[in-house]
Amino acid sequence: MLMPRLIRKLTLLFTLLFLFLSSTTNAAAATAITQQFKEAPQFYNSPECPSIDQDEIDSEAEPDGDNTIFCSEHAVHVAMTLDAAYIRGSMAAILSVLQHTSCPQNIAFHFVASASANASLLRATISSSFPYLKFRVYTFDDSSVSGLISTSIRSALDCPLNYARSYLTNILPFCVRRVVYLDSDLGLVDDIAKLAATPLGEKSVLAAPEYCNANFTSYFTPTFWSNPSLSLTFADRRPCYFNTGVMVIDLDRWREGDYTTKIEEWMELQKRMRIYELGSLPPFLLVFAGDIVPVDHKWNQHGLGGDNFRGLCRDLHPGPVSLLHWSGKGKPWARLDANRPCPLDALWAPYDLLQTPFALDS
């Protein structure tokens, strides 16, 4: 009697072990980069670009010349998240930034990757296509925020890496004082230095495209608005929706105001009572809406990915264009691969560095 029972237990044990190893392997495969990318052309500064030298750098900078730019106030500092799922979009965004700026050699890229991602592989992928690029890859500890995340209307919005923008002052070097934060699903057609130079005035912490015609109340639940102590949050402000995928942030002022903690406090309240539905955006609105510097809408032709449910095609908003943003469910690379592109996806395609099986070496 003991032998059959022992065999059943051993069989169950090996089955569970097999399932665990399979899930681990699948998880590793999900974070792998299966695509190959072409090398992008190299871009050079125009003669009028400011020189970046060691003399201007404070004591926190590393001494070798390659690292000088990462603490330079003359550099344009760009922060983006980086992961295997969106790497194709990130590559296109990087290329668009470099192609349309007068001083591409003065841009320092600060990429933030999940601590669970293969940072070495992400770094190698970027270096392969942009061997001359000045960049660093920082790891973001998912556990610092995962316990604060509530489910939203779209699962992609619940990824802990979406919340890394709230922790930039903890991730980037202290010497970086101002940064342009960009999503991975966009492309620039204008000089990012113009966006980076947005005046923030004497007190503002960030600048972003602001949309006061949007229905601001829809970003929060009836539970929020029916609670007097909560709805009074905006009593002394004129709050408007703004897009957190394109922001200019004064990191010194962020640190001084301890805004990461303020965002976390709203996320903790959300865990106790549901006051919003839409991922990482509402906490930003709760803390900053009505107190930001508005950026010209040309820097965020947004919504090109459609809504959060169906991702339908959309047209450009009236007016000039400096940045195209495929916010929403539909991403241009996915629609192009499915042979169901939207008309405006053709504006993203020239920046796509994906190496197709039929591509010929030049």
Side-chain angles (χ1 to χ4, degrees), residues 194-211:
K194 299 176 186 176
L195 176 61
T198 302
L200 292 176
E202 296 182 0
K203 296 182 179 179
S204 294
V205 177
L206 64 85
E210 189 178 54
Y211 302 90

Side-chain angles (χ1 to χ4, degrees), residues 78-80 165 179-188 192 195-196 198 206-211 241-249 281 284 292-303 322-327:
V78 179
M80 300 174 65
R165 71 194 83 191
V179 70
V180 178
Y181 177 85
L182 298 177
D183 275 349
S184 298
D185 55 354
L186 52 73
L188 278 83
I192 195 172
L195 176 61
T198 302
L206 64 85
E210 189 178 54
Y211 302 90
Y241 157 73
F242 64 90
N243 190 285
T244 55
V246 180
M247 295 188 290
V248 181
I249 306 173
L281 170 64
F284 261 86
I292 72 166
V293 172
V295 170
D296 193 301
H297 288 179
K298 70 180 183 179
W299 288 105
N300 190 43
Q301 279 278 348
H302 66 125
S322 292
L323 183 150
L324 298 155
H325 192 177
W326 278 264
S327 55

Side-chain angles (χ1 to χ4, degrees), residues 16 19 49 53 60 77-78 85 93 107 119 121 144 149 166 184 206 208 227-228 234 240 264 266 270 303 328 333 353:
L16 291 173
L19 290 174
C49 293
D53 55 53
E60 202 172 319
H77 296 274
V78 179
I107 298 180
L121 180 58
S144 63
I149 297 175
S166 304
S184 298
L206 64 85
N227 186 316
F234 301 109
C240 297
E264 287 182 333
W266 283 111
Q270 164 77 352
W333 55 89
L353 289 174

Side-chain angles (χ1 to χ4, degrees), residues 111-126:
F111 298 117
V112 181
S114 168
S116 60
N118 188 335
S120 297
L121 180 58
L122 291 168
R123 189 180 294 107
T125 302
I126 297 295

Side-chain angles (χ1 to χ4, degrees), residues 186-300:
L186 52 73
L188 278 83
V189 291
D190 201 347
D191 195 334
I192 195 172
K194 299 176 186 176
L195 176 61
T198 302
L200 292 176
E202 296 182 0
K203 296 182 179 179
S204 294
V205 177
L206 64 85
E210 189 178 54
Y211 302 90
C212 293
N213 292 330
N215 181 9
F216 187 79
T217 59
S218 66
Y219 290 95
F220 302 96
T221 64
T223 300
F224 175 87
W225 294 114
S226 62
N227 186 316
S229 62
L230 296 179
S231 58
L232 284 174
T233 301
F234 301 109
D236 299 325
R237 296 186 258 164
R238 183 175 177 266
C240 297
Y241 157 73
F242 64 90
N243 190 285
T244 55
V246 180
M247 295 188 290
V248 181
I249 306 173
D250 186 311
L251 298 179
D252 285 340
R253 292 177 184 175
W254 184 293
R255 292 187 189 96
E256 291 168 5
D258 195 15
Y259 287 104
T260 296
T261 298
K262 293 176 181 178
I263 287 174
E264 287 182 333
E265 287 171 350
W266 283 111
M267 294 175 67
E268 289 169 356
L269 179 61
Q270 164 77 352
K271 296 292 286 187
R272 299 196 299 270
M273 55 189 298
R274 196 148 182 95
I275 58 174
Y276 55 79
E277 304 285 355
L278 196 62
S280 62
L281 170 64
F284 261 86
L285 298 180
L286 287 161
V287 173
F288 293 110
D291 287 333
I292 72 166
V293 172
V295 170
D296 193 301
H297 288 179
K298 70 180 183 179
W299 288 105
N300 190 43

Side-chain angles (χ1 to χ4, degrees), residues 84-146:
Y86 278 78
I87 187 70
R88 188 172 168 189
S90 301
M91 302 286 270
I94 297 165
L95 178 58
S96 73
V97 169
L98 297 174
Q99 185 168 320
H100 294 284
T101 184
S102 298
C103 305
Q105 293 172 296
N106 287 8
I107 298 180
F109 283 90
H110 303 265
F111 298 117
V112 181
S114 168
S116 60
N118 188 335
S120 297
L121 180 58
L122 291 168
R123 189 180 294 107
T125 302
I126 297 295
S127 295
S128 178
S129 287
F130 301 97
Y132 48 83
L133 194 70
K134 298 179 176 70
F135 76 94
R136 285 178 175 172
V137 178
Y138 310 85
T139 54
F140 174 57
D141 183 7
D142 297 23
S143 63
S144 63
V145 71
S146 57

